[in-house]
Amino acid sequence: MAPILVKDFTTKQTATHVYVTITWPQLISAKTANVYANDLYAKINAAPFFFELDLALPIADQEATCTFDGMTVILTLPKLHTDIGWPTITFVASSTDKTLAVKEIRDRRRDAEMRHLAREKDDREAREKEKWEKQRWMVQQQMEVERSERQQLADAKESEEQTAAGAVYDWASTATAPAHKEKEESPVNAIQELEVDDESSDDDDPEIMVLRQKYAQTKIRQDSGILEPTSDSQPAIPLPRSRGTIGIRFTPRQFVSAARETQDIQWAAQMEEARRRRTPHDTEAEKLENKAMSLQSQGQWLLAVDAYSALLGMTPKNHRAYVGRCECYAQLSFQDLAAADARMALALIQEMEEAHEIRGVYDQAKAQLRMHIEESQRTQDAA
């Protein structure tokens, strides 16, 4: 349905504003109406009715307002230049030709729309810049607070260290002062103190003289800060341990690149995705593979060959099936068939290693497959 143009409106202007009062054909509110205005054009859309107005001179559309009151709509449009009087509120095309007049109005609306979009873009960029500057300022303030806290913590630690160092220094000075005073005394004076003023016959006793000399030497060492170790306070230092060798073994790496953990995670994710996408067909193939391996382990080679062949019919690129059937053929002395399966298994394993960048995992299996191929070649040469 085409929109119905509303033409019932009145206009009024003052030195600063233009007022447009529109009588709407039905009840209208801000929830049911869509209002748009730029510097030269204003419109209101509330289906199925539509109102539009081309203004003669530009307005400050950022400050324009719209008021709804039942079936009345009032547009309040501030003038961009308040010192200029409007001879008319509605724009009138300069051309009398209808086609040219429509083109002139259309071009005028398009230019006004472009200015409006450009102004909105500038406003949006300004808001984003202001928001970014505010966030940056907040981050700087947070960094400043953290730096201040770190500085306060460092100052507190330094103060505590200085206090502790001063206390230790005072204690050391008090504890060592008598020792330094005693060090200043001459060893001769210490020996003289041992001499007895009272003369007696013990001065000539050799044993007494030896004891006095030992006591004097011990006194000198104690005054100098050298103490003899005792068995109770200082136990004997044990001898160094004998030299030995520590063996270290590294597990083989499945991936050749340095990003081993990342590749392991990717591999686990791929395996999990493969398990999630499993279908009933995959489940039947897994059961059949387990059955074939069980028959092979029991030595039922022909039945195992049939099971592996059925498995290859379901999963043609299953290298494990080729390897198992190759072993069964080798046990049955079918060297040509074993060699053919060995070649297929080698090709599939090599393709899988190149696709997933795997190295060193299937080396032993590939060596056994090559042995089957060489055995078949020797049998052919002998024949």
Side-chain angles (χ1 to χ4, degrees):
M1 181 178 178
I4 302 174
L5 183 62
V6 177
K7 299 181 179 179
D8 187 4
F9 68 96
T10 59
T11 60
K12 183 179 67 172
Q13 65 170 316
T14 62
T16 58
H17 289 76
V18 173
Y19 300 94
V20 181
T21 303
I22 309 161
T23 302
W24 208 259
Q26 61 184 13
L27 291 175
I28 187 172
S29 64
K31 295 182 178 180
T32 60
N34 182 15
V35 182
Y36 168 81
N38 55 41
D39 57 346
L40 294 176
Y41 177 72
K43 68 176 180 179
I44 302 174
N45 182 20
F49 299 100
F50 178 81
F51 171 80
E52 62 180 357
L53 178 65
D54 290 282
L55 300 170
L57 293 175
I59 62 171
D61 55 308
Q62 303 94 329
E63 303 175 4
T65 60
C66 181
T67 305
F68 298 93
D69 185 11
M71 299 176 62
T72 303
V73 183
I74 301 175
L75 289 176
T76 303
L77 309 176
K79 294 181 179 180
L80 184 63
H81 305 289
T82 57
D83 54 345
I84 300 177
W86 290 20
T88 178
I89 295 178
T90 305
F91 173 76
V92 179
S94 59
S95 177
T96 57
D97 185 79
K98 185 176 181 181
T99 304
L100 295 178
V102 170
K103 184 178 182 303
E104 183 181 357
I105 294 174
R106 187 179 301 167
D107 294 342
R108 191 170 182 267
R109 291 180 181 178
R110 185 183 65 252
D111 295 340
E113 176 71 14
M114 295 298 295
R115 289 193 300 271
H116 180 75
L117 294 176
R119 186 168 57 253
E120 284 189 345
K121 181 180 178 181
D122 295 339
D123 294 342
R124 184 170 59 253
E125 291 178 353
R127 288 193 301 269
E128 291 178 356
K129 183 178 180 181
E130 182 181 359
K131 180 180 178 181
W132 182 82
E133 291 291 343
K134 185 177 180 180
Q135 292 178 352
R136 180 181 178 184
W137 178 82
M138 293 176 64
V139 171
Q140 290 178 350
Q141 293 297 318
Q142 183 65 26
M143 292 174 62
E144 184 64 23
V145 171
E146 293 178 357
R147 187 197 64 78
S148 177
E149 292 178 352
R150 289 195 300 268
Q151 184 63 34
Q152 292 178 0
L153 182 60
D155 294 342
K157 287 183 178 180
E158 184 178 359
S159 178
E160 291 180 0
E161 290 177 358
Q162 292 178 356
T163 304
V168 171
Y169 178 78
D170 295 340
W171 174 83
S173 301
T174 305
T176 57
H180 288 293
K181 184 176 181 181
E182 291 179 0
K183 288 181 182 179
E184 295 176 358
E185 297 181 357
S186 174
V188 178
N189 296 333
I191 296 175
Q192 291 176 358
E193 290 177 359
L194 298 177
E195 296 180 356
V196 181
D197 296 337
D198 187 11
E199 295 182 358
S200 63
S201 60
D202 293 339
D203 295 341
D204 299 333
D205 191 348
E207 295 181 358
I208 297 298
M209 295 297 293
V210 171
L211 291 175
R212 287 180 176 179
Q213 290 178 0
K214 289 183 178 180
Y215 179 78
Q217 293 176 0
T218 303
K219 183 66 174 176
I220 292 172
R221 286 196 296 271
Q222 291 178 352
D223 293 342
S224 301
I226 303 175
L227 299 177
E228 295 182 356
T230 60
S231 58
D232 296 335
S233 60
Q234 296 183 2
I237 300 175
L239 296 175
R241 291 179 295 179
S242 59
R243 185 176 60 181
T245 303
I246 300 176
I248 300 175
R249 296 182 59 186
F250 296 94
T251 57
R253 296 185 59 178
Q254 297 183 4
F255 300 98
V256 297
S257 65
R260 181 178 180 182
E261 295 183 358
T262 303
Q263 292 183 350
D264 286 344
I265 294 173
Q266 293 177 355
W267 177 265
Q270 291 176 1
M271 293 298 101
E272 182 63 25
E273 182 67 17
R275 284 191 290 270
R276 189 180 62 83
R277 293 183 178 181
R278 291 180 61 182
T279 61
H281 179 273
D282 298 332
T283 305
E284 293 297 328
E286 184 178 355
K287 293 181 180 179
L288 186 57
E289 183 176 359
N290 293 333
K291 181 64 175 178
M293 293 174 63
S294 176
L295 293 172
Q296 181 182 357
S297 63
Q298 296 173 7
Q300 301 182 22
W301 311 115
L302 289 176
L303 294 177
V305 167
D306 293 339
Y308 280 125
S309 299
L311 177 61
L312 288 171
M314 299 177 64
T315 56
K317 291 189 176 183
N318 190 339
H319 67 279
R320 295 185 299 274
Y322 281 108
V323 172
R325 195 172 69 171
C326 173
E327 295 291 341
C328 294
Y329 281 145
Q331 293 293 334
L332 295 171
S333 300
F334 297 153
Q335 301 299 335
D336 295 341
L337 297 176
D341 283 352
R343 293 188 181 93
M344 288 296 299
L346 283 173
L348 291 174
I349 290 174
Q350 183 176 1
E351 180 182 353
M352 181 177 60
E353 287 180 339
E354 292 177 355
H356 299 285
E357 297 183 359
I358 302 175
R359 297 293 183 272
V361 178
Y362 299 97
D363 290 346
Q364 185 176 359
K366 290 191 293 185
Q368 293 179 356
L369 293 173
R370 293 190 184 97
M371 288 176 58
H372 291 301
I373 296 174
E374 294 173 358
E375 182 65 24
S376 175
Q377 187 66 32
R378 284 195 297 269
T379 303
Q380 291 179 1
D381 294 341

